[in-house]
Amino acid sequence: MSSAQRQKQFDLNRGTNATANENKITMNTNSNSNSPGQRKLQVSMERLQVQQPNINRRAAGSNWQAAAAVGSENQKQPAANMSGEDSNGTLSKSARARLKRKAQRNRYLAMDCEMVGVGFNGQDDMLARVSIVNKVGEVLLDKHVKPRAPVTDYRTAVSGIRPHDIENGEEFEAVQDEVVKLLHGKILVGHALRNDLAVLNIKHPVAHIRDTSRYKPLCKLVSNGHTPSLKRLTMAVLGQEIQTGEHNSVEDARAAMGIYNRIAADWEKYLERRQ
């Protein structure tokens, strides 16, 4: 081989190696651009574009209004779920269960009233305070009532009522109306409820009254058939002491409800047999 031929072969080999090196560099660059971190970022960007569609007017073109509507619906959805409603506006199963429990708690109400004396020597009763609690003892109403006649005996040692309590109270008619609305359609629990209903000047269906002073099996067990006091019943049935000083109508209402709750199953069966 001549020197000219050897030079030509050398140049040809050098060009081939250069091309191979360029291809290798290109492959390395592509492999680096497709590294795991970059591929993960690319996938995240693609997902972000799917989850949050561009509702820019210029980008959406003629479909801008439809895209905007989709975005607003996505924003409203969490609020509906927080309120216990699904996409159709109906209550979820858990929300319905909560409403049912609340309705059950408020189906049975216990009431107690505190009275002051009017007339000669304070012999006549006048409403001074009324309290109503639900089945679990939550206070639904507790109000003092303005006097409608001169008070001749506040009976503070028993009633716990003082002049400023009823002077700042609410009008009788307003409280009476509120009590009537609250008791409508409910089972009324209490002790000696005839007296409470009398000072409120209202009536309640006899079938919907559970009076702890008139439930004969309980009276026979606790006081040999005589009418027991609420204090005595509470100690006998619940093992709790109440009325250690001035009476509290909220405490008395809760005590009556506690007694009823303890013996409710037997009480209701007793009423069914009598009917």
Side-chain angles (χ1 to χ4, degrees):
M1 179 180 295
S2 64
S3 60
Q5 289 176 334
R6 286 197 298 270
Q7 182 64 37
K8 184 177 181 180
Q9 182 65 37
F10 176 78
D11 293 340
L12 181 62
N13 290 339
R14 186 173 61 178
T16 302
N17 292 335
T19 302
N21 289 334
E22 290 178 358
N23 292 337
K24 186 175 181 180
I25 292 172
T26 303
M27 291 177 64
N28 290 336
T29 302
N30 291 337
S31 63
N32 291 334
S33 65
N34 293 327
S35 63
Q38 290 180 337
R39 286 198 300 270
K40 185 175 180 181
L41 178 60
Q42 184 178 1
V43 172
S44 299
M45 292 298 294
E46 291 175 353
R47 290 179 178 174
L48 185 62
Q49 291 175 359
V50 173
Q51 294 175 355
Q52 298 181 357
N54 189 353
I55 60 172
N56 180 273
R57 182 189 295 268
R58 180 176 297 175
S62 60
N63 293 326
W64 177 79
Q65 291 183 344
V70 172
S72 62
E73 288 178 0
N74 290 336
Q75 293 176 354
K76 292 179 181 179
Q77 186 66 27
N81 292 335
M82 291 177 63
S83 65
E85 296 182 358
D86 57 22
S87 58
N88 295 325
T90 58
L91 291 174
S92 64
K93 185 176 180 180
S94 60
R96 291 197 300 270
R98 287 195 298 270
L99 289 176
K100 184 177 181 180
R101 289 194 297 269
K102 183 177 180 180
Q104 186 67 14
R105 289 197 303 267
N106 292 338
R107 182 171 181 262
Y108 294 83
L109 303 181
M111 181 176 72
D112 187 78
C113 295
E114 301 297 346
M115 310 161 198
V116 292
V118 295
F120 181 72
N121 289 334
Q123 294 179 351
D124 298 326
D125 296 331
M126 184 177 68
L127 179 66
R129 181 184 180 187
V130 55
S131 303
I132 298 177
V133 302
N134 64 9
K135 191 173 176 66
V136 295
E138 296 172 339
V139 177
L140 303 184
L141 183 145
D142 182 29
K143 293 187 175 182
H144 288 91
V145 182
K146 284 184 178 181
R148 293 168 292 143
V151 178
T152 53
D153 186 359
Y154 284 92
R155 307 173 184 174
T156 304
V158 176
S159 68
I161 301 298
R162 291 169 173 78
H164 67 271
D165 293 327
I166 55 178
E167 288 173 0
N168 300 321
E170 297 188 20
E171 297 293 338
F172 173 81
E173 290 76 10
V175 176
Q176 180 191 51
D177 185 60
E178 194 170 350
V179 170
V180 169
K181 290 179 180 178
L182 197 56
L183 297 184
H184 179 71
K186 305 296 180 19
I187 302 297
L188 178 59
V189 180
H191 188 82
L193 283 169
R194 179 173 57 185
N195 299 329
D196 297 328
L197 294 172
V199 293
L200 279 162
N201 196 24
I202 62 175
K203 295 182 179 180
H204 198 72
V206 176
H208 289 174
I209 289 179
R210 305 293 183 269
D211 193 330
T212 56
S213 72
R214 299 178 65 84
Y215 178 44
K216 291 184 179 180
L218 186 61
C219 296
K220 184 176 180 180
L221 180 66
V222 175
S223 56
N224 197 26
H226 297 92
T227 301
S229 66
L230 180 61
K231 180 182 178 73
R232 184 173 182 179
L233 280 178
T234 304
M235 177 58 70
V237 178
L238 303 178
Q240 298 175 0
E241 188 175 11
I242 63 170
Q243 299 176 349
T244 55
E246 298 175 1
H247 291 198
N248 184 309
S249 51
V250 171
E251 180 186 55
D252 292 351
R254 285 173 173 165
M257 181 60 79
I259 294 170
Y260 173 77
N261 287 339
R262 183 66 60 87
I263 59 175
D266 292 335
W267 197 330
E268 296 304 324
K269 289 179 181 178
Y270 171 81
L271 295 177
E272 290 177 3
R273 289 196 300 268
R274 292 194 63 185
Q275 291 177 356

